[in-house]
Amino acid sequence: MHRCFPALLSGVFTLAAFIGAPSPLKAAAPEKVTVDQLEQALSVAHGKADAEMAQALVSLELTERLSAARLAHLKADLPGERSQQALAILADQSAFLPPPDDEIVADPTPDSAATRQMLVQIVNYVNTTVRQLPNLMAIRETSGFEDRPQEDRVDRTGTLSLSYLPLHLVGQSSVAVTYRDRKEVVDESATKGLKKGTPVGGLVTSGEFGPILTTVLADALKGTISWARWEQRENGKIAVFRYAVPDQKSNYYVKFCCIMNGFRSDQTPDLQLFNERAGYHGEIAFDPADGSIQRITLEAEMPPTGMVPHSGIVIEYSSVEIGGKNYTCPARGVSLLQAHTAVPQGAFSRANYQGTPKTYLNEVEFSQYRRFGSETRILSGDNDPPAK
């Protein structure tokens, strides 16, 4: 049975109570809804204006993960770009949550022998298949979102009072990423011809092609790995393990740019990189037939009162044809980080950052996969084109 909310109308959650409400001056507690309630609410509100739908969606928070397939279906029925973007943000924020009950398969839990065999398949996949990926190139499209907590910000000109803004688009970038000799780099020469858009600041993500997978698996084998559940996908059933890595066995670092540490002698800001090792936990979703990774989540275990109280990454993989062969490659990703950014006047030090944490969210999509390098075709004299 679904939990009831104040905005129920005839037993169905509705967006109507939120549409037309003024934008909040401060962050209000979001209305929590399940995926089923969201689907019903969007159906009831069909035909509303784009801006109204977007404003209503900003007031919600999902209690379950909204899958990419369901997101695509719901976005297709929305009236415009603003509401579609608001729904995408809502889905991105739910990426670390468990799926709805109707996506969980009630099959028996595998015994210890079957579980060990699955783990062996994952290890073989990461150590063999991933390492045998060809040198390739892909386009990485990143959309960066930030909110703005209500705060009194102090700068060199005095105190500035800022009102609350929900997560909103602050920048987009398009870069060519090369995976060559098991290393991931941004190909600057190929990127120059792309339309970059407004640069994405604050939160930068990388490592989707292999470093994250190999790091997580190596650390998880030194931590704990246990069975989680079966999930149903469009192309079949997948298995899910959960894992946890203590900080003393972790090789994962949370990085954030940047910490304002006062001013230098020339009056320019003294900016420092936040870079701390952290324990973490998450899930590995994989094909039980061959161990191929379909989805991986990573949530850092950060001090709740620290400068960065939360940081996490989700990467989803899919089959891609490259050079006539199919490979499992990154398809999309979500990175989420919260950081305290307000400081008392003149108190620029890590310990003094406080207030409501600011949220940074990056949505990443990969496309246009192709082999890295040039192709050459040699024609014999018999195949010369006829003279004109």
Side-chain angles (χ1 to χ4, degrees):
M1 180 179 295
H2 296 302
R3 179 183 174 188
C4 295
F5 296 92
L8 289 175
L9 176 61
S10 302
V12 178
F13 178 83
T14 176
L15 294 178
F18 296 100
I19 292 178
S23 299
L25 295 178
K26 62 180 180 179
E31 194 76 20
K32 296 186 177 182
V33 296
T34 65
V35 169
D36 180 62
Q37 288 173 323
L38 175 65
E39 290 174 332
Q40 293 182 54
L42 289 176
S43 176
V44 170
H46 185 74
K48 297 292 184 179
D50 184 38
E52 291 178 312
M53 292 288 284
Q55 184 174 307
L57 287 166
V58 167
S59 304
L60 304 181
E61 178 183 331
L62 283 166
T63 59
E64 303 165 327
R65 186 172 76 233
L66 182 61
S67 68
R70 279 177 136 156
L71 172 63
H73 176 74
L74 292 176
K75 284 179 70 174
D77 286 335
L78 289 175
E81 183 178 354
R82 291 182 61 181
S83 56
Q84 290 174 357
Q85 188 175 95
L87 180 63
I89 292 173
L90 192 63
D92 290 342
Q93 291 177 293
S94 76
F96 300 92
L97 300 174
D101 289 343
D102 60 4
E103 295 180 18
I104 297 177
V105 181
D107 284 4
T109 299
D111 59 27
S112 57
T115 301
R116 282 195 300 271
Q117 181 58 34
M118 289 180 185
L119 185 56
V120 169
Q121 288 178 316
I122 292 175
V123 172
N124 289 339
Y125 171 78
V126 173
N127 289 341
T128 304
T129 307
V130 171
R131 292 176 182 272
Q132 292 177 350
L133 277 175
N135 292 339
L136 57 84
M137 180 181 289
I139 302 302
R140 180 169 63 200
E141 306 272 357
T142 303
S143 297
F145 302 89
E146 297 178 11
D147 69 359
R148 189 179 70 188
Q150 183 184 23
E151 62 181 78
D152 292 330
R153 181 173 297 176
V154 179
D155 60 19
R156 302 194 68 195
T157 62
T159 301
L160 176 65
S161 295
L162 300 175
S163 59
Y164 167 76
L165 283 178
L167 281 168
H168 56 283
L169 184 67
V170 295
Q172 292 178 301
S173 70
S174 180
V175 298
V177 180
T178 298
Y179 182 76
R180 184 169 69 250
D181 299 328
R182 298 194 296 274
K183 294 181 180 179
E184 176 186 325
V185 296
V186 173
D187 192 315
E188 297 292 349
S189 61
T191 297
K192 290 179 181 178
L194 298 175
K195 183 180 179 181
K196 295 183 180 181
T198 305
V200 177
L203 181 60
V204 178
T205 56
S206 63
E208 294 91 347
F209 282 91
I212 289 178
L213 271 183
T214 54
T215 297
V216 167
L217 183 59
D219 287 354
L221 291 173
K222 295 180 291 185
T224 60
I225 303 177
S226 59
W227 174 257
R229 61 186 173 274
W230 295 104
E231 287 186 18
Q232 186 63 48
R233 293 285 182 92
E234 290 183 322
N235 55 352
K237 184 174 67 174
I238 62 173
V240 183
F241 282 156
R242 63 172 61 95
Y243 68 89
V245 180
D247 58 357
Q248 65 269 25
K249 296 182 180 180
S250 171
N251 286 291
Y252 178 72
Y253 287 78
V254 175
K255 297 181 180 181
F256 172 70
C257 184
C258 289
I259 303 169
M260 177 70 170
N261 196 39
F263 295 89
R264 299 187 181 94
S265 57
D266 61 357
Q267 301 304 307
T268 58
D270 181 14
L271 301 179
Q272 298 180 358
L273 175 69
F274 179 93
N275 185 12
E276 290 188 2
R277 187 174 72 170
Y280 59 99
H281 63 274
E283 294 185 341
I284 302 173
F286 60 98
D287 186 336
D290 59 10
S292 59
I293 307 299
Q294 306 296 305
R295 184 174 184 271
I296 190 167
T297 71
L298 185 161
E299 291 187 85
E301 295 174 355
M302 307 296 291
T305 57
M307 181 180 175
V308 178
H310 179 73
S311 176
I313 300 171
V314 177
I315 303 173
E316 296 181 351
Y317 301 81
S318 64
S319 180
V320 178
E321 183 179 336
I322 305 173
K325 294 183 178 181
N326 290 327
Y327 300 91
T328 301
C329 296
R332 66 183 303 271
V334 173
S335 298
L336 182 67
L337 183 141
Q338 292 181 329
H340 294 284
T341 57
V343 294
Q345 185 172 8
F348 291 110
S349 72
R350 181 177 303 188
N352 288 330
Y353 278 85
Q354 56 188 258
T356 303
K358 179 182 179 68
T359 299
Y360 300 83
L361 186 150
N362 278 4
E363 181 183 276
V364 181
E365 294 188 357
F366 293 88
S367 62
Q368 301 181 43
Y369 276 96
R370 61 191 184 277
R371 280 187 178 274
F372 177 78
S374 59
E375 295 183 356
T376 303
R377 187 174 64 164
I378 300 176
L379 299 176
S380 67
D382 294 338
N383 291 328
D384 288 341
K388 293 183 180 180

